[in-house]
Amino acid sequence: MSMHDLKPSHFIRDIIDEDLRNNKHEGRVHTRFPPEPNGYLHIGHAKSICLNFGLAQDYNGLCNLRFDDTNPSKEEIEYVESIKEDVRWLGFDWGDRLYYASDYFEQLYHYAVQLIKSNKAYVCDLSPDELRQYRGTLTAPGTESPYRNRSVAENLDLFQRMRAGEFEDGTRTLRAKIDMASPNLNMRDPVIYRILRAEHHRTGSAWCIYPMYDFTHCLSDSLESITHSICTLEFEDHRPLYDWFLDELAVACHPQQIEFARLNVSYTVMSKRMLMELVDQAQVDGWDDPRMPTIAGMRRRGYTPASIHSFCERIGVAKRDSMVDMALLEHCVREDLNKHAPRVMAVLRPLKVIIDNYPEDQTEDLDAVNNPEDAGMGTRRIPFSRVLYIERDDFMEAPPKKFYRLAPGREVRLRYAYFITCTDFVKDAKTGEVVELHCTYDPATRGGDAPDGRKVKATLHWVSAAHAVEAEVRLYDRLFVKENPCDDKDTTDFKTFLNPNSLETLPSCRVEPSLAKAAPGSRYQFERLGYFCVDSMKDKPVFNRTVGLRDPWAKIKKVMSNE
Ligand code: ATP
Ligand code: MG
């Protein structure tokens, strides 16, 4: 069975299968991922990347990376570099097929001249405002431009002079001559070139006219011999224009545009404009803030490429827009990390525990399992000594009924170590806060089991105070408190719904000594706490919480049953 037989089918695969049966495009499958370099990629782009590169892989085809850089004022090299890094990180390879739409500016100019020569394009002197007025509405037809019937010779002359820089920005455009009465507004003599004096990140000031997206995109696809040009649903109404340009220019390769539903994920936003606003207004700590739905943010948060692939596989490819629950993405992350992340012990809010009957100068190394899901990951040794830290909320002075963890007089298990019993506690005189516990241990329970078979109701994680490493831990939560922060029916600014508690920083946590030399980017399960990823190791280790052990919003059952 080949790889793609295992994957769920969807309507785009059906189209490709049919094309292959008919030997359309000589049996080739060639896709492209065409980002505009005006921001960082997000999880929505990941869906498109997995789809385009994934189809190419499955059908022994090719997928190009093409920067759609026709909008000079907005594009920056930083974005180009981040996009390349993110696509690579997801595990895809464009080989030697890295392209820029701006590489085609000269050819696109010649295509435009060809349209003028066949009387299918004209130079129009209407101002941007007038263009809008003449365009009509969904219910009223447009009005033909008074410049529509210029001669081919005049159009050729004017277009050449537009390029030469003889006219002010915005004073003239080149328009396709299609149909001002078309029910499809995209077909009402759309603009294909505008005059704009702006530095371009690749072509500098070589051009003062720039081609529009619709004209550029189909011809770039054709020039690259793309077979299936996959885009999101909002381009459905642009498809007739996509086909019109290619038909009028009688190009050798006419790719098929196929639209699919864009991904929306709950409790976040997916528009580059909004993400940019959060970055610019310092609502987050840059594009790679671990709360951002960007690929760079998810990477810093500790998400794995495999978990993102699995998520994209599960959400499928459809024709109808929908909102996917963030819980499903988190479920995929948890599922992957559960299998592959080593387990370690870390205490986020340390409470000192003194084992009064343990020798003061003694340390012993105890065996701990690295991952019970995978015996191949082996074991490690962790030091135990007289003074330990446990989690502050694992002790209660006056425990309520269902609290089974440590309390005065109660016995619990320390993971991989001993049973301990709390004999006393010390409070801060001023605050009344419990600051120190005194316990005794039972030497017969080494390893965590009592030879007399007695049971305890709780197992706690711990670290040895003298051996532990101090670390900072950042607890991240959802960026927004509202499921859909940019609901069309609600005009409230989306930033109103930012979660004020999306980041909690714990500066003095204690982690077991095996983490002293952890590599940035490596991921761990902190036993009983969740999955964490090393952010940096500068002065002390800094960990980002990737995701908790369970879905705190308890929605996952619902999500999975909708699959
Ligand atoms: P924005 O509208 O936020 O600027 P965009 O769609 O213009 O985003 P592009 O850089 O043009 O961003 O997108 C590159 C490719 O990724 C396009 O083919 C686009 O259809 C696809 N894409 C973008 N957002 C999503 C999404 N949410 N779900 C699926 N595909 C997406
Ligand atoms: Mg776009």
Side-chain angles (χ1 to χ4, degrees), residues 179-291:
D179 178 8
M180 288 309 291
S182 170
N184 184 340
L185 271 77
N186 296 305
M187 301 300 276
R188 294 184 187 170
D189 292 10
V191 170
I192 54 184
Y193 267 90
R194 64 209 161 124
I195 306 174
L196 180 65
R197 284 167 179 80
E199 272 291 297
H200 188 282
H201 74 119
R202 286 180 63 86
T203 57
S205 52
W207 293 88
C208 65
I209 55 171
Y210 287 96
M212 302 302 283
Y213 175 86
D214 283 322
F215 181 68
T216 308
H217 198 83
C218 57
L219 288 164
S220 304
D221 282 346
S222 173
L223 287 165
E224 292 175 18
S225 303
I226 300 302
T227 56
H228 300 87
S229 175
I230 300 167
C231 62
T232 38
L233 276 184
E234 69 273 23
F235 289 102
E236 197 162 19
D237 291 345
H238 296 241
R239 187 172 358 115
L241 185 54
Y242 185 102
D243 290 330
W244 187 88
F245 285 128
L246 298 182
D247 288 340
E248 290 301 331
L249 288 163
V251 290
C253 171
H254 189 140
Q256 179 180 0
Q257 178 179 305
I258 305 169
E259 310 85 18
F260 72 103
R262 59 172 49 231
L263 169 66
N264 296 298
V265 178
S266 62
Y267 300 100
T268 191
V269 292
M270 211 63 59
S271 127
K272 278 190 250 176
R273 179 186 60 76
M274 289 177 179
L275 295 174
M276 173 95 69
E277 206 174 314
L278 296 177
V279 172
D280 287 347
Q281 299 188 8
Q283 303 277 4
V284 293
D285 177 24
W287 284 97
D288 68 345
D289 185 298
R291 290 166 291 184

Side-chain angles (χ1 to χ4, degrees), residues 79-177:
Y79 300 134
V80 168
E81 290 309 317
S82 75
I83 289 169
K84 288 198 271 185
E85 186 183 353
D86 291 347
V87 174
R88 260 191 235 110
W89 181 76
L90 282 174
F92 296 112
D93 184 3
W94 53 86
D96 57 359
R97 295 174 317 283
L98 173 64
Y99 299 113
Y100 293 84
S102 56
D103 292 343
Y104 309 132
F105 280 172
E106 191 63 42
Q107 290 166 81
L108 293 171
Y109 178 84
H110 288 289
Y111 278 128
V113 167
Q114 197 183 322
L115 281 180
I116 295 172
K117 284 183 177 161
S118 53
N119 202 13
K120 293 292 179 182
Y122 61 97
V123 172
C124 179
D125 301 357
L126 293 178
S127 69
D129 268 347
E130 290 167 326
L131 276 176
R132 255 188 303 280
Q133 283 160 24
Y134 276 70
R135 195 166 181 231
T137 64
L138 281 174
T139 47
T143 310
E144 291 192 354
S145 162
Y147 307 97
R148 198 175 199 260
N149 297 314
R150 277 178 162 152
S151 70
V152 168
E154 189 184 4
N155 282 321
L156 283 174
D157 173 63
L158 285 171
F159 187 51
Q160 182 272 317
R161 288 163 62 196
M162 276 170 66
R163 175 179 183 168
E166 286 189 28
F167 312 120
E168 296 292 302
D169 286 8
T171 53
R172 286 192 162 90
T173 55
L174 183 72
R175 298 176 66 184
K177 193 186 281 190

Side-chain angles (χ1 to χ4, degrees), residues 287-411:
W287 284 97
D288 68 345
D289 185 298
R291 290 166 291 184
M292 292 281 269
T294 52
I295 295 176
M298 294 188 290
R299 176 166 60 236
R300 242 185 106 186
R301 178 86 171 242
Y303 288 19
T304 56
S307 60
I308 294 172
H309 285 252
S310 153
F311 173 72
C312 291
E313 198 80 14
R314 278 191 168 123
I315 57 175
V317 179
K319 269 277 186 194
R320 198 164 48 89
D321 276 316
S322 67
M323 171 84 79
V324 175
D325 201 305
M326 178 66 99
L328 179 62
L329 177 55
E330 291 173 347
H331 170 80
C332 294
V333 173
R334 219 177 267 125
E335 193 175 58
D336 185 39
L337 292 178
N338 181 47
K339 278 185 260 157
H340 301 117
R343 300 190 185 184
V344 293
M345 293 204 282
V347 174
L348 301 190
R349 297 172 180 88
L351 173 60
K352 188 182 272 184
V353 175
I354 299 166
I355 314 287
D356 290 316
N357 61 339
Y358 195 87
E360 231 168 282
D361 48 5
Q362 183 173 312
T363 297
E364 58 188 313
D365 282 329
L366 301 169
D367 284 320
V369 175
N370 288 335
N371 191 340
E373 303 278 322
D374 180 358
M377 288 172 73
T379 60
R380 69 189 183 290
R381 314 212 82 192
I382 37 179
F384 185 88
S385 66
R386 188 169 190 263
V387 184
L388 313 170
Y389 287 115
I390 64 165
E391 210 66 61
R392 186 165 290 280
D393 64 7
D394 279 339
F395 172 82
M396 283 185 90
E397 182 185 345
K401 243 192 167 158
K402 294 238 162 113
F403 186 88
Y404 299 118
R405 293 168 270 162
L406 205 53
R410 186 177 292 171
E411 185 170 55

